[in-house]
Amino acid sequence: MSSSVIGILGAIPQEIDGILAVLKDKKEIVIGNRKYYEGFLNKQKVVVVYSRIGKVAAATTATALLLHFSVSEVIFIGVAGGIASHIEVGDVVVASNLIQYDMDVSPLRPKYEIPLLGKTYFDTCTKRSEELMSYIVDFLSPDNLNNTIATEELNRFQITQPKVYLGTIASGDQFFSTEEQKNNLQKALPEVLCVEMEGAAVAQVCYEFRTPCTVIRTISDKANHEASFSFESFVENVSQVYGQQIIHRLFS
C-alpha cells in the first residue's frame, strides 16, 4: 500500500461523483466550507474534493490539500471548452502547461506573466501526464467507450472517435459562450487547446509548493453559443464517466 497521498479535484460535484462512488474507507472532513473525502482507490490513499468554480476557489482548495493533508501530488479532472479547431466534444486534453489568460498587469510586467513569480506558463508533471495519456487512449477505444457510455448519449453529443491531446490549457474567470470570446483568445494565444476556470490557478499553487500537478480536461463544448445548452447534460452523462474510468485505470 502506497504511503503517499494524492489529492484529486474537480470544480463541481458531478466531476468527482463517479470517483467518490468507488472510494473505499471514505472519511469526510470539512475545511473552509469544503468537504474533503479521504479514502483509498485500490491501494492508493487519496483525498477527493470539489474545488468550486473559479481560480480563487480552486487555489483555496488546492492550498488546503497541500497544507492540511500533505498530499504529494495533485490531479485536477473536469471539463473544458474546446478552442483549437481540431478539438472536438468528447476529446480529452492533458495539460503540458497552463496559462492564466485574464492576468494582465501591463505595462508593469508582460501580459499574462504572474507578478513576482516571473512566470507565464506553469508546467505539469511530465511523467504522470504521459502515463495518463496511455490510460486515456485505452479508455477512448471504441470497445471500452461503447461499453461504459450509452450509445444514445454518445450520439447525442456526436462523439464517434474521440482523441487525447497533450498541450496548453488556458484558465480564467469567464465561461466562454460566444464566438467573439473564442476568436479573441485564439488570436492572442494560438497554442491554447481548450479553456476552463481553475487549472492554471491550481498549477500555480503547486508550483509555489513544489508539488507535482496534473490537469485532465474532457471537452464538453466548443466554447461558443452552444456551450450553455450542452454543458450540464454533458457533465452528468458523459464526463462523470470519463473521470471515473480514467482515475480507475490510473490506480488499478
Side-chain angles (χ1 to χ4, degrees):
M1 184 174 295
S2 175
S3 60
S4 65
V5 183
I6 296 178
I8 302 174
L9 301 91
I12 56 178
Q14 297 94 321
E15 292 177 338
I16 62 167
D17 281 348
I19 299 169
L20 289 176
V22 296
L23 192 64
K24 296 179 180 178
D25 301 329
K26 185 166 55 180
K27 176 184 177 183
E28 179 185 308
I29 299 172
V30 178
I31 303 173
N33 288 327
R34 288 156 174 77
K35 294 179 180 179
Y36 295 78
Y37 296 93
E38 290 184 305
F40 290 87
L41 294 173
N42 197 8
K43 297 181 179 181
Q44 176 63 58
K45 186 173 183 180
V46 299
V47 181
V48 184
V49 58
Y50 80 90
S51 67
R52 304 189 179 204
I53 297 170
K55 292 192 301 177
V56 172
T60 300
T61 310
T63 302
L65 277 173
L66 292 162
L67 293 179
H68 185 87
F69 297 97
S70 299
V71 300
S72 59
E73 176 184 352
V74 173
I75 298 174
F76 199 110
I77 191 161
V79 295
I83 293 295
S85 60
H86 63 281
I87 301 293
E88 299 291 342
V89 172
D91 288 346
V92 178
V93 176
V94 178
S96 58
N97 54 41
L98 299 101
I99 183 173
Q100 296 180 39
Y101 67 79
D102 56 356
M103 174 58 69
D104 186 0
V105 295
S106 58
L108 299 178
R109 301 299 301 168
K111 190 174 183 179
Y112 311 121
E113 182 181 296
I114 305 300
L116 303 182
L117 291 183
K119 285 186 67 64
T120 300
Y121 294 89
F122 291 91
D123 295 333
T124 56
C125 178
T126 301
K127 182 178 179 181
R128 180 66 85 189
S129 295
E130 290 176 350
E131 180 184 14
L132 278 161
M133 292 279 289
S134 65
Y135 294 134
I136 296 169
V137 168
D138 176 65
F139 166 62
L140 293 179
S141 66
D143 288 344
N144 285 326
L145 194 63
N146 291 326
N147 285 332
T148 52
I149 298 178
T151 301
E152 55 266 30
E153 291 297 335
L154 295 175
N155 291 339
R156 179 182 179 187
F157 294 102
Q158 299 180 334
I159 300 172
T160 55
Q161 294 180 314
K163 298 177 176 61
V164 58
Y165 297 92
L166 182 68
T168 300
I169 294 178
S171 306
D173 287 322
Q174 297 181 46
F175 182 82
F176 272 45
S177 60
T178 69
E179 293 289 349
E180 181 181 8
Q181 288 173 299
K182 182 175 179 177
N183 292 338
N184 288 341
L185 184 62
Q186 283 180 308
K187 291 177 183 177
L189 297 165
E191 72 276 20
V192 168
L193 298 184
C194 65
V195 63
E196 36 90 306
M197 300 177 67
E198 298 85 20
V202 172
Q204 179 181 335
V205 170
C206 289
Y207 169 81
E208 298 200 50
F209 280 86
R210 299 182 180 179
T211 301
C213 173
T214 308
V215 178
I216 311 155
R217 291 292 188 171
T218 300
I219 303 303
S220 60
D221 55 80
K222 298 284 283 182
N224 55 20
H225 64 281
E226 297 179 355
S228 60
F229 297 102
S230 59
F231 179 79
E232 294 289 347
S233 178
F234 185 91
V235 170
E236 292 177 1
N237 298 303
V238 180
S239 71
Q240 184 175 167
V241 180
Y242 271 53
Q244 183 189 60
Q245 291 296 316
I246 292 168
I247 296 298
H248 170 73
R249 282 166 167 73
L250 178 61
F251 297 122
S252 62

